Amino acid sequence: MTRAQAQIIDLIMSLPLSERRELIEHVQGTALLEESFYSRMTAGQRVALEESIAEADRGEGAPAGEVFRALFQKHGLESPV
């Protein structure tokens, strides 16, 4: 274990149990421990994704069918939707 890793472990262990659990759930939920698409995104890409999710949560945006039809039309393709 590196010195930095040991310091991180010490810091985590100094947290109350509920906060440690919350931190572990966050690390697992954001796939920080895996080679996932999300973990390979740049900070800017993650910000853009979070903004898009917030827009969708607020009900902003267009239905997927409309978006796909527009994309197919823009590129001269026949839309399956």
Side-chain angles (χ1 to χ4, degrees):
M1 180 180 304
T2 68
R3 182 175 178 202
Q5 291 169 332
Q7 289 173 328
I8 291 168
I9 296 295
D10 288 343
L11 180 59
I12 291 170
M13 293 308 292
S14 73
L15 296 171
L17 181 58
S18 62
E19 289 184 31
R20 280 185 270 164
R21 287 183 176 149
E22 185 179 328
L23 178 62
I24 289 168
E25 287 173 9
H26 173 75
V27 169
Q28 289 174 332
T30 57
L32 292 174
L33 300 178
E34 301 173 12
E35 279 297 314
S36 68
F37 173 77
Y38 189 82
S39 68
R40 292 188 308 268
M41 293 173 73
T42 66
Q45 289 170 323
R46 282 193 293 275
V47 168
L49 177 62
E50 294 297 328
E51 288 172 358
S52 297
I53 292 170
E55 288 173 1
D57 288 345
R58 293 190 301 267
E60 299 172 2
E66 288 179 23
V67 173
F68 284 116
R69 275 190 291 281
L71 282 171
F72 276 84
Q73 184 177 18
K74 177 181 177 180
H75 294 285
L77 301 170
E78 187 175 329
S79 175
V81 248

